[in-house]
Amino acid sequence: MVNFNVPPTVGDELDFIKDAIASKKICGDGRYTHMCNDWIRKKTDSAGVLLTTSCTHATELAAILCDIKAGDEVIMPSYTFVSTADAFVLRGARAVFVDIRPDTMNIDENLIEAAITEKTKAIVPVHYAGVSCEMDKIMELASKYHLYVIEDAAQGIMASYKGRQLGAIGDIGCYSFHETKNYSMGEGGAILLKDGAMLEQAEIIREKGTNRSKFFRGQIDKYTWVAAGSSYLPSELNAAYLWAQFLKADEIYENRMTSWQRYYEALNELADSAYIELPYIPEMCVHNAHMFYIKAKNLEERTRLIAYLKERGVMAVFHYIPLHTAPAGQKYGEFRGEDKYTTTESERLVRLPLYYGLREQDQERVIDAVKDFYKKK
Ligand SMILES: *Cc1c(COP(=O)(O)O)cnc(C)c1O
C-alpha cells in the first residue's frame, strides 16, 4: 500500500530529544526553541519568530494581537482548513468568505475589495499548497483600508513570492509543524512578526500574560502578570525534533521537489489530453512541494478515481469541504459575492501521496494507477 502521508523523520531527532532531557530543561523556551526561532527568523528576515503549540494557536495569538473583537469581520477564503476561521470566530468575529481563483485555489485578490466594510479588520490569505497568494495586491488593499494582513502560511515554509518568504510579507505570518506538513514536530507551529512592539506583546500573551521572557533575558528583575494571555509555547522535546529537521531542511525540500516534479512530468500527457488538470505555479512564486494534486472532471469522477486508487493500494484524499457550507461556517460566517469556483473546484481536487522519502517505485505505482484509470475510459 502507498500511504497518503508519512510524518517526516531524518534520523537525528532522538539524539536531540535525549540532549534536551539531559540538559534538564524540557519545558518551553529552552535552547532548542531558541535555535528554531532564530533559524526561521533568519530564513524569513522577520523581526521576530516564536514557536507555538500549533498553527491554530499562532493564528489565535495573531487574532489577540490585532485585537479582533465581537462584531469585527475578517476576510478569508472558504476553501481552507477550519483553523483559519476558528482563530477569529473564537474572538467573536465574523468570517467573511471570498471566492478563490481556479488556477491556484487561493483567494481571488480581485474580489476582496468588494467584501470590505467598516467592520473589516483583517485579511487572511491562505497560501494553498505553498503557492503564494497575489500578495502585492492584498498588501495594497490592506494599506488603503487600514487592515491587518495575517498570512495563513501553514503550508508555506520555504516558499516565496517575488523573493520574499511566505509568512513574512503581511503583518503576521503563521506556520504549521503538524505531522502532515513539510517540517514537523508532531504538533506545533510558529508566529512570524514584522514589528518589534508586536513581538514584545506576542511574547507576553504566549507566556500566560506575563513578562517572563524579558525576565529570562535579564531585562527586568522579577516577572509578573501584565496582560490577558494563554500558554502557546511548545515543549523543548518537540522543538528538539523540529531542530533535527531544520538541519536537513534543504534535503527535505529537494526530496519533495523531486517527487513533485516526477508526478508533474509523468501526468502531463493526461493533462495534454484534457483528462485532468495539473497544479499551476505563477511565475513570481517559488513553491515548496507541499502537496501534489490533480483535478478530475467533476465530483462523480473524483469519487470513482479515489475508490479505484484505493483498490490499487494507493491512498489519495480530497479536501476541503468549503467552510461556508459547514454548520459552523453558516453560524459564524458568510460567503460574500458569488461562489463561482470554491465549491466546484474543491469537488474536483484529489491529493496524491507526497512525503519526504516517498520511494520512486511507490510513486510509479501511483502514477500507473492514475493513468490506468483514465485509459479505461
Ligand atoms: C495545517 C493547517 C492549519 C493548522 O495547522 P495546525 O498546526 O495543525 O494547527 C491551518 N491552516 C492551514 C491552511 C493548514 O494547512
Side-chain angles (χ1 to χ4, degrees):
M1 198 179 68
V2 187
N3 285 317
F4 171 68
N5 180 57
V6 175
T9 41
V10 296
D12 308 321
E13 288 87 352
L14 213 46
D15 292 337
F16 290 124
I17 291 171
K18 280 182 182 158
D19 180 58
I21 295 169
S23 77
K24 307 215 182 315
K25 169 115 182 151
I26 59 168
C27 68
D29 274 341
R31 190 169 146 259
Y32 285 103
T33 304
H34 287 134
M35 290 194 297
C36 290
N37 291 345
D38 252 21
W39 189 91
I40 303 171
R41 188 178 52 75
K42 286 187 187 129
K43 180 100 212 154
T44 59
D45 205 14
S46 300
V49 173
L50 300 167
L51 284 193
T52 57
T53 30
S54 64
C55 179
T56 308
H57 278 166
T59 316
E60 271 181 44
L61 182 46
I64 299 171
L65 284 167
C66 297
D67 195 25
I68 301 295
K69 292 188 298 288
D72 293 344
E73 291 181 353
V74 177
I75 293 175
M76 64 187 71
S78 171
Y79 185 71
T80 184
F81 189 56
V82 292
S83 303
T84 316
D86 265 328
F88 301 97
V89 303
L90 259 184
R91 310 222 60 78
R94 200 157 172 76
V96 172
F97 303 117
V98 167
D99 208 10
I100 51 168
R101 298 164 39 146
D103 57 355
T104 56
M105 304 297 282
N106 283 333
I107 192 166
D108 187 335
E109 66 279 2
N110 294 315
L111 300 177
I112 294 173
E113 192 161 17
I116 295 173
T117 69
E118 297 98 84
K119 293 180 180 166
T120 310
K121 280 285 168 59
I123 306 172
V124 187
V126 179
H127 306 298
Y128 184 68
V131 177
S132 181
C133 297
E134 189 39 77
M135 289 306 288
D136 278 353
K137 178 72 197 261
I138 291 171
M139 295 308 288
E140 188 191 304
L141 285 172
S143 116
K144 180 172 169 192
Y145 293 97
H146 307 288
L147 307 175
Y148 288 109
V149 173
I150 300 160
E151 295 177 73
D152 181 338
Q155 306 175 7
I157 188 169
M158 298 281 274
S160 62
Y161 169 82
K162 298 188 179 177
R164 285 172 291 162
Q165 293 289 307
L166 304 193
I169 303 169
D171 301 285
I172 303 178
C174 304
Y175 281 172
S176 173
F177 303 119
H178 184 260
E179 71 165 27
T180 53
K181 301 303 200 286
N182 291 21
Y183 305 92
S184 186
M185 54 198 282
E187 299 274 359
I191 187 166
L192 285 68
L193 298 147
K194 206 182 227 177
D195 172 272
M198 232 186 208
L199 171 66
E200 195 168 309
Q201 209 51 39
E203 283 182 341
I204 290 168
I205 297 162
R206 176 171 166 274
E207 259 284 21
K208 298 102 182 160
T210 70
N211 51 8
R212 196 163 163 189
S213 298
K214 266 188 163 168
F215 171 73
F216 279 130
R217 283 195 298 267
Q219 292 165 318
I220 45 175
D221 57 11
K222 56 177 182 289
Y223 79 85
T224 184
W225 185 30
V226 292
S230 188
S231 183
Y232 294 131
L233 71 166
S235 134
E236 274 289 283
L237 302 178
N238 298 65
Y241 190 103
L242 185 63
W243 180 244
Q245 312 226 327
F246 280 171
L247 291 182
K248 302 249 167 86
D250 291 334
E251 186 184 315
I252 292 176
Y253 177 88
E254 295 299 336
N255 182 273
R256 296 186 74 106
M257 280 307 239
T258 303
S259 299
W260 195 97
Q261 206 57 39
R262 201 182 285 133
Y263 272 138
Y264 194 89
E265 280 155 26
L267 296 173
N268 219 348
E269 61 178 74
L270 288 180
D272 280 344
S273 330
Y275 282 124
I276 60 170
E277 271 177 45
L278 295 178
Y280 164 71
I281 315 292
E283 209 184 314
M284 61 283 182
C285 298
V286 175
H287 74 111
N288 57 5
H290 173 61
M291 80 172 79
F292 194 91
Y293 65 79
I294 59 175
K295 283 188 195 165
K297 196 165 65 194
N298 52 31
L299 177 60
E300 182 272 328
E301 184 180 283
R302 181 182 75 177
T303 307
R304 281 192 295 115
L305 173 60
I306 292 176
Y308 177 78
L309 293 176
K310 195 169 174 195
E311 257 172 53
R312 296 275 301 254
V314 172
M315 305 318 260
V317 302
F318 68 83
H319 76 175
Y320 301 103
I321 307 282
L323 297 184
H324 74 284
T325 65
Q330 287 173 355
K331 185 168 172 196
Y332 299 118
E334 67 189 73
F335 204 98
R336 207 163 278 166
E338 188 195 344
D339 171 10
K340 200 163 163 197
Y341 295 114
T342 299
T343 299
T344 53
E345 295 300 301
S346 70
E347 287 177 348
R348 299 175 56 203
L349 189 137
V350 188
R351 299 176 64 183
L352 301 181
L354 178 62
Y355 49 85
Y356 171 63
L358 172 60
R359 295 183 308 172
E360 198 171 339
Q361 70 255 42
D362 286 338
Q363 209 184 350
E364 291 303 335
R365 263 181 81 179
V366 180
I367 291 163
D368 288 345
V370 173
K371 284 186 175 169
D372 288 349
F373 175 81
Y374 283 101
K375 243 181 253 158
K376 288 194 307 175
K377 289 172 59 126

PDB file of all heavy atoms in Angstrom, residues 53-57 80-81 83-84 126 152 154-155 175-178 180-181 187-189 290 320, ligand 1:
ATOM      1  N   THR A  53       2.410  26.123  19.892  1.00  0.00           N
ATOM      2  CA  THR A  53       1.937  24.752  20.020  1.00  0.00           C
ATOM      3  C   THR A  53       1.212  24.251  18.769  1.00  0.00           C
ATOM      4  O   THR A  53       0.991  23.052  18.628  1.00  0.00           O
ATOM      5  CB  THR A  53       1.016  24.645  21.252  1.00  0.00           C
ATOM      6  OG1 THR A  53       0.366  25.923  21.439  1.00  0.00           O
ATOM      7  CG2 THR A  53       1.816  24.345  22.499  1.00  0.00           C
ATOM      8  N   SER A  54       0.829  25.160  17.881  1.00  0.00           N
ATOM      9  CA  SER A  54       0.239  24.776  16.598  1.00  0.00           C
ATOM     10  C   SER A  54       0.106  26.020  15.738  1.00  0.00           C
ATOM     11  O   SER A  54       0.290  27.140  16.222  1.00  0.00           O
ATOM     12  CB  SER A  54      -1.156  24.140  16.786  1.00  0.00           C
ATOM     13  OG  SER A  54      -2.053  25.096  17.327  1.00  0.00           O
ATOM     14  N   CYS A  55      -0.248  25.796  14.493  1.00  0.00           N
ATOM     15  CA  CYS A  55      -0.547  26.943  13.625  1.00  0.00           C
ATOM     16  C   CYS A  55      -1.879  27.557  14.051  1.00  0.00           C
ATOM     17  O   CYS A  55      -2.070  28.767  13.993  1.00  0.00           O
ATOM     18  CB  CYS A  55      -0.606  26.497  12.168  1.00  0.00           C
ATOM     19  SG  CYS A  55      -1.002  27.809  11.016  1.00  0.00           S
ATOM     20  N   THR A  56      -2.788  26.709  14.499  1.00  0.00           N
ATOM     21  CA  THR A  56      -4.072  27.198  15.008  1.00  0.00           C
ATOM     22  C   THR A  56      -3.818  28.189  16.145  1.00  0.00           C
ATOM     23  O   THR A  56      -4.411  29.274  16.179  1.00  0.00           O
ATOM     24  CB  THR A  56      -4.920  26.011  15.526  1.00  0.00           C
ATOM     25  OG1 THR A  56      -4.990  25.022  14.502  1.00  0.00           O
ATOM     26  CG2 THR A  56      -6.314  26.446  15.923  1.00  0.00           C
ATOM     27  N   HIS A  57      -2.924  27.820  17.065  1.00  0.00           N
ATOM     28  CA  HIS A  57      -2.605  28.711  18.186  1.00  0.00           C
ATOM     29  C   HIS A  57      -1.854  29.955  17.737  1.00  0.00           C
ATOM     30  O   HIS A  57      -2.054  31.040  18.291  1.00  0.00           O
ATOM     31  CB  HIS A  57      -1.802  27.951  19.247  1.00  0.00           C
ATOM     32  CG  HIS A  57      -2.668  27.153  20.163  1.00  0.00           C
ATOM     33  ND1 HIS A  57      -2.189  26.188  21.012  1.00  0.00           N
ATOM     34  CD2 HIS A  57      -4.015  27.208  20.360  1.00  0.00           C
ATOM     35  CE1 HIS A  57      -3.206  25.668  21.703  1.00  0.00           C
ATOM     36  NE2 HIS A  57      -4.318  26.273  21.313  1.00  0.00           N
ATOM     37  N   THR A  80     -10.422  26.406   2.769  1.00  0.00           N
ATOM     38  CA  THR A  80      -9.279  26.358   3.678  1.00  0.00           C
ATOM     39  C   THR A  80      -9.586  25.420   4.828  1.00  0.00           C
ATOM     40  O   THR A  80     -10.711  24.906   4.949  1.00  0.00           O
ATOM     41  CB  THR A  80      -8.924  27.768   4.217  1.00  0.00           C
ATOM     42  OG1 THR A  80      -7.744  27.688   5.041  1.00  0.00           O
ATOM     43  CG2 THR A  80     -10.045  28.361   5.049  1.00  0.00           C
ATOM     44  N   PHE A  81      -8.581  25.214   5.677  1.00  0.00           N
ATOM     45  CA  PHE A  81      -8.757  24.385   6.864  1.00  0.00           C
ATOM     46  C   PHE A  81      -9.526  25.192   7.913  1.00  0.00           C
ATOM     47  O   PHE A  81      -9.456  26.426   7.937  1.00  0.00           O
ATOM     48  CB  PHE A  81      -7.374  23.973   7.395  1.00  0.00           C
ATOM     49  CG  PHE A  81      -7.436  22.940   8.479  1.00  0.00           C
ATOM     50  CD1 PHE A  81      -8.084  21.734   8.280  1.00  0.00           C
ATOM     51  CD2 PHE A  81      -6.829  23.171   9.701  1.00  0.00           C
ATOM     52  CE1 PHE A  81      -8.136  20.777   9.283  1.00  0.00           C
ATOM     53  CE2 PHE A  81      -6.880  22.221  10.716  1.00  0.00           C
ATOM     54  CZ  PHE A  81      -7.533  21.020  10.496  1.00  0.00           C
ATOM     55  N   SER A  83      -9.072  25.910  10.945  1.00  0.00           N
ATOM     56  CA  SER A  83      -8.311  26.768  11.866  1.00  0.00           C
ATOM     57  C   SER A  83      -8.258  28.221  11.411  1.00  0.00           C
ATOM     58  O   SER A  83      -8.216  29.130  12.242  1.00  0.00           O
ATOM     59  CB  SER A  83      -6.877  26.268  11.991  1.00  0.00           C
ATOM     60  OG  SER A  83      -6.870  24.948  12.425  1.00  0.00           O
ATOM     61  N   THR A  84      -8.216  28.429  10.099  1.00  0.00           N
ATOM     62  CA  THR A  84      -8.140  29.796   9.564  1.00  0.00           C
ATOM     63  C   THR A  84      -9.287  30.624  10.131  1.00  0.00           C
ATOM     64  O   THR A  84      -9.097  31.773  10.533  1.00  0.00           O
ATOM     65  CB  THR A  84      -8.230  29.767   8.016  1.00  0.00           C
ATOM     66  OG1 THR A  84      -7.404  28.726   7.521  1.00  0.00           O
ATOM     67  CG2 THR A  84      -7.817  31.095   7.410  1.00  0.00           C
ATOM     68  N   VAL A 126      -4.535  32.574   2.518  1.00  0.00           N
ATOM     69  CA  VAL A 126      -4.037  31.215   2.777  1.00  0.00           C
ATOM     70  C   VAL A 126      -3.227  30.808   1.551  1.00  0.00           C
ATOM     71  O   VAL A 126      -3.759  30.808   0.441  1.00  0.00           O
ATOM     72  CB  VAL A 126      -5.215  30.228   2.976  1.00  0.00           C
ATOM     73  CG1 VAL A 126      -4.704  28.813   3.232  1.00  0.00           C
ATOM     74  CG2 VAL A 126      -6.128  30.688   4.109  1.00  0.00           C
ATOM     75  N   ASP A 152      -1.981  32.950   6.586  1.00  0.00           N
ATOM     76  CA  ASP A 152      -2.023  31.548   6.983  1.00  0.00           C
ATOM     77  C   ASP A 152      -1.031  30.838   6.065  1.00  0.00           C
ATOM     78  O   ASP A 152      -1.364  30.426   4.957  1.00  0.00           O
ATOM     79  CB  ASP A 152      -3.434  30.969   6.844  1.00  0.00           C
ATOM     80  CG  ASP A 152      -3.498  29.499   7.273  1.00  0.00           C
ATOM     81  OD1 ASP A 152      -2.437  28.842   7.260  1.00  0.00           O
ATOM     82  OD2 ASP A 152      -4.594  29.018   7.598  1.00  0.00           O
ATOM     83  N   ALA A 154       0.535  28.108   6.866  1.00  0.00           N
ATOM     84  CA  ALA A 154       0.678  26.751   7.439  1.00  0.00           C
ATOM     85  C   ALA A 154       1.412  25.838   6.463  1.00  0.00           C
ATOM     86  O   ALA A 154       2.191  24.980   6.860  1.00  0.00           O
ATOM     87  CB  ALA A 154      -0.694  26.173   7.760  1.00  0.00           C
ATOM     88  N   GLN A 155       1.150  26.054   5.176  1.00  0.00           N
ATOM     89  CA  GLN A 155       1.750  25.191   4.147  1.00  0.00           C
ATOM     90  C   GLN A 155       2.899  25.896   3.433  1.00  0.00           C
ATOM     91  O   GLN A 155       3.407  25.399   2.432  1.00  0.00           O
ATOM     92  CB  GLN A 155       0.668  24.800   3.118  1.00  0.00           C
ATOM     93  CG  GLN A 155      -0.552  24.168   3.765  1.00  0.00           C
ATOM     94  CD  GLN A 155      -1.689  23.890   2.792  1.00  0.00           C
ATOM     95  OE1 GLN A 155      -1.542  24.053   1.585  1.00  0.00           O
ATOM     96  NE2 GLN A 155      -2.826  23.462   3.309  1.00  0.00           N
ATOM     97  N   TYR A 175       2.932  29.564  10.729  1.00  0.00           N
ATOM     98  CA  TYR A 175       3.425  28.302  10.156  1.00  0.00           C
ATOM     99  C   TYR A 175       2.849  27.131  10.942  1.00  0.00           C
ATOM    100  O   TYR A 175       2.517  27.279  12.118  1.00  0.00           O
ATOM    101  CB  TYR A 175       4.950  28.217  10.276  1.00  0.00           C
ATOM    102  CG  TYR A 175       5.757  28.990   9.257  1.00  0.00           C
ATOM    103  CD1 TYR A 175       7.141  29.089   9.403  1.00  0.00           C
ATOM    104  CD2 TYR A 175       5.171  29.596   8.152  1.00  0.00           C
ATOM    105  CE1 TYR A 175       7.920  29.779   8.477  1.00  0.00           C
ATOM    106  CE2 TYR A 175       5.944  30.291   7.227  1.00  0.00           C
ATOM    107  CZ  TYR A 175       7.319  30.382   7.390  1.00  0.00           C
ATOM    108  OH  TYR A 175       8.089  31.052   6.488  1.00  0.00           O
ATOM    109  N   SER A 176       2.794  25.971  10.287  1.00  0.00           N
ATOM    110  CA  SER A 176       2.412  24.741  10.989  1.00  0.00           C
ATOM    111  C   SER A 176       3.528  23.710  10.892  1.00  0.00           C
ATOM    112  O   SER A 176       4.116  23.534   9.822  1.00  0.00           O
ATOM    113  CB  SER A 176       1.139  24.140  10.387  1.00  0.00           C
ATOM    114  OG  SER A 176       0.888  22.874  10.982  1.00  0.00           O
ATOM    115  N   PHE A 177       3.763  23.018  11.997  1.00  0.00           N
ATOM    116  CA  PHE A 177       4.691  21.885  12.012  1.00  0.00           C
ATOM    117  C   PHE A 177       3.973  20.613  12.451  1.00  0.00           C
ATOM    118  O   PHE A 177       4.518  19.767  13.152  1.00  0.00           O
ATOM    119  CB  PHE A 177       5.907  22.198  12.901  1.00  0.00           C
ATOM    120  CG  PHE A 177       6.632  23.442  12.470  1.00  0.00           C
ATOM    121  CD1 PHE A 177       6.750  24.539  13.318  1.00  0.00           C
ATOM    122  CD2 PHE A 177       7.163  23.535  11.190  1.00  0.00           C
ATOM    123  CE1 PHE A 177       7.391  25.703  12.902  1.00  0.00           C
ATOM    124  CE2 PHE A 177       7.817  24.696  10.763  1.00  0.00           C
ATOM    125  CZ  PHE A 177       7.930  25.779  11.628  1.00  0.00           C
ATOM    126  N   HIS A 178       2.725  20.517  12.035  1.00  0.00           N
ATOM    127  CA  HIS A 178       1.934  19.301  12.229  1.00  0.00           C
ATOM    128  C   HIS A 178       2.596  18.161  11.449  1.00  0.00           C
ATOM    129  O   HIS A 178       3.380  18.417  10.534  1.00  0.00           O
ATOM    130  CB  HIS A 178       0.516  19.572  11.704  1.00  0.00           C
ATOM    131  CG  HIS A 178      -0.433  18.448  11.919  1.00  0.00           C
ATOM    132  ND1 HIS A 178      -0.764  17.553  10.923  1.00  0.00           N
ATOM    133  CD2 HIS A 178      -1.126  18.077  13.018  1.00  0.00           C
ATOM    134  CE1 HIS A 178      -1.624  16.669  11.408  1.00  0.00           C
ATOM    135  NE2 HIS A 178      -1.866  16.964  12.673  1.00  0.00           N
ATOM    136  N   THR A 180       1.662  16.420   9.136  1.00  0.00           N
ATOM    137  CA  THR A 180       1.352  16.389   7.703  1.00  0.00           C
ATOM    138  C   THR A 180       2.072  17.482   6.922  1.00  0.00           C
ATOM    139  O   THR A 180       1.923  17.577   5.711  1.00  0.00           O
ATOM    140  CB  THR A 180      -0.160  16.580   7.478  1.00  0.00           C
ATOM    141  OG1 THR A 180      -0.554  17.773   8.188  1.00  0.00           O
ATOM    142  CG2 THR A 180      -0.958  15.409   7.982  1.00  0.00           C
ATOM    143  N   LYS A 181       2.828  18.323   7.607  1.00  0.00           N
ATOM    144  CA  LYS A 181       3.477  19.439   6.929  1.00  0.00           C
ATOM    145  C   LYS A 181       4.920  19.085   6.531  1.00  0.00           C
ATOM    146  O   LYS A 181       5.453  18.072   6.956  1.00  0.00           O
ATOM    147  CB  LYS A 181       3.441  20.678   7.839  1.00  0.00           C
ATOM    148  CG  LYS A 181       2.004  21.109   8.218  1.00  0.00           C
ATOM    149  CD  LYS A 181       1.137  21.390   6.994  1.00  0.00           C
ATOM    150  CE  LYS A 181      -0.086  22.238   7.255  1.00  0.00           C
ATOM    151  NZ  LYS A 181      -1.198  21.579   7.961  1.00  0.00           N
ATOM    152  N   GLU A 187       3.004  18.079  16.755  1.00  0.00           N
ATOM    153  CA  GLU A 187       2.060  19.196  16.734  1.00  0.00           C
ATOM    154  C   GLU A 187       2.889  20.435  17.037  1.00  0.00           C
ATOM    155  O   GLU A 187       3.713  20.418  17.950  1.00  0.00           O
ATOM    156  CB  GLU A 187       0.991  19.059  17.830  1.00  0.00           C
ATOM    157  CG  GLU A 187       0.115  17.830  17.738  1.00  0.00           C
ATOM    158  CD  GLU A 187      -1.091  18.005  16.825  1.00  0.00           C
ATOM    159  OE1 GLU A 187      -1.285  19.102  16.261  1.00  0.00           O
ATOM    160  OE2 GLU A 187      -1.844  17.023  16.678  1.00  0.00           O
ATOM    161  N   GLY A 188       2.664  21.499  16.292  1.00  0.00           N
ATOM    162  CA  GLY A 188       3.416  22.718  16.575  1.00  0.00           C
ATOM    163  C   GLY A 188       3.264  23.729  15.462  1.00  0.00           C
ATOM    164  O   GLY A 188       2.676  23.442  14.415  1.00  0.00           O
ATOM    165  N   GLY A 189       3.794  24.910  15.700  1.00  0.00           N
ATOM    166  CA  GLY A 189       3.712  25.965  14.699  1.00  0.00           C
ATOM    167  C   GLY A 189       4.629  27.109  15.080  1.00  0.00           C
ATOM    168  O   GLY A 189       5.464  26.976  15.987  1.00  0.00           O
ATOM    169  N   HIS A 290       4.632  21.267  -1.162  1.00  0.00           N
ATOM    170  CA  HIS A 290       3.868  20.814  -0.002  1.00  0.00           C
ATOM    171  C   HIS A 290       2.865  19.731  -0.392  1.00  0.00           C
ATOM    172  O   HIS A 290       2.635  18.790   0.349  1.00  0.00           O
ATOM    173  CB  HIS A 290       3.145  21.960   0.691  1.00  0.00           C
ATOM    174  CG  HIS A 290       2.239  21.469   1.774  1.00  0.00           C
ATOM    175  ND1 HIS A 290       2.710  20.775   2.863  1.00  0.00           N
ATOM    176  CD2 HIS A 290       0.884  21.492   1.896  1.00  0.00           C
ATOM    177  CE1 HIS A 290       1.687  20.414   3.623  1.00  0.00           C
ATOM    178  NE2 HIS A 290       0.578  20.825   3.053  1.00  0.00           N
ATOM    179  N   TYR A 320     -10.809  20.736   0.616  1.00  0.00           N
ATOM    180  CA  TYR A 320     -11.530  20.878   1.849  1.00  0.00           C
ATOM    181  C   TYR A 320     -13.009  20.947   1.511  1.00  0.00           C
ATOM    182  O   TYR A 320     -13.366  21.385   0.420  1.00  0.00           O
ATOM    183  CB  TYR A 320     -11.169  22.221   2.511  1.00  0.00           C
ATOM    184  CG  TYR A 320      -9.702  22.417   2.824  1.00  0.00           C
ATOM    185  CD1 TYR A 320      -8.919  23.226   2.023  1.00  0.00           C
ATOM    186  CD2 TYR A 320      -9.114  21.806   3.941  1.00  0.00           C
ATOM    187  CE1 TYR A 320      -7.570  23.442   2.320  1.00  0.00           C
ATOM    188  CE2 TYR A 320      -7.771  22.025   4.238  1.00  0.00           C
ATOM    189  CZ  TYR A 320      -7.005  22.833   3.418  1.00  0.00           C
ATOM    190  OH  TYR A 320      -5.678  23.036   3.711  1.00  0.00           O
TER     191      TYR A 320
HETATM  192  C1  LIG B   1      -2.402  22.513   8.715  1.00  0.00           C
HETATM  193  C2  LIG B   1      -3.111  23.789   8.522  1.00  0.00           C
HETATM  194  C3  LIG B   1      -3.535  24.574   9.606  1.00  0.00           C
HETATM  195  C4  LIG B   1      -3.467  24.106  11.040  1.00  0.00           C
HETATM  196  O1  LIG B   1      -2.220  23.771  11.484  1.00  0.00           O
HETATM  197  P1  LIG B   1      -2.060  23.142  12.967  1.00  0.00           P
HETATM  198  O2  LIG B   1      -0.594  23.288  13.210  1.00  0.00           O
HETATM  199  O3  LIG B   1      -2.499  21.724  12.861  1.00  0.00           O
HETATM  200  O4  LIG B   1      -2.883  23.937  13.887  1.00  0.00           O
HETATM  201  C5  LIG B   1      -4.101  25.801   9.352  1.00  0.00           C
HETATM  202  N1  LIG B   1      -4.276  26.250   8.099  1.00  0.00           N
HETATM  203  C6  LIG B   1      -3.909  25.522   7.028  1.00  0.00           C
HETATM  204  C7  LIG B   1      -4.107  26.089   5.669  1.00  0.00           C
HETATM  205  C8  LIG B   1      -3.319  24.267   7.201  1.00  0.00           C
HETATM  206  O5  LIG B   1      -2.960  23.548   6.131  1.00  0.00           O
END
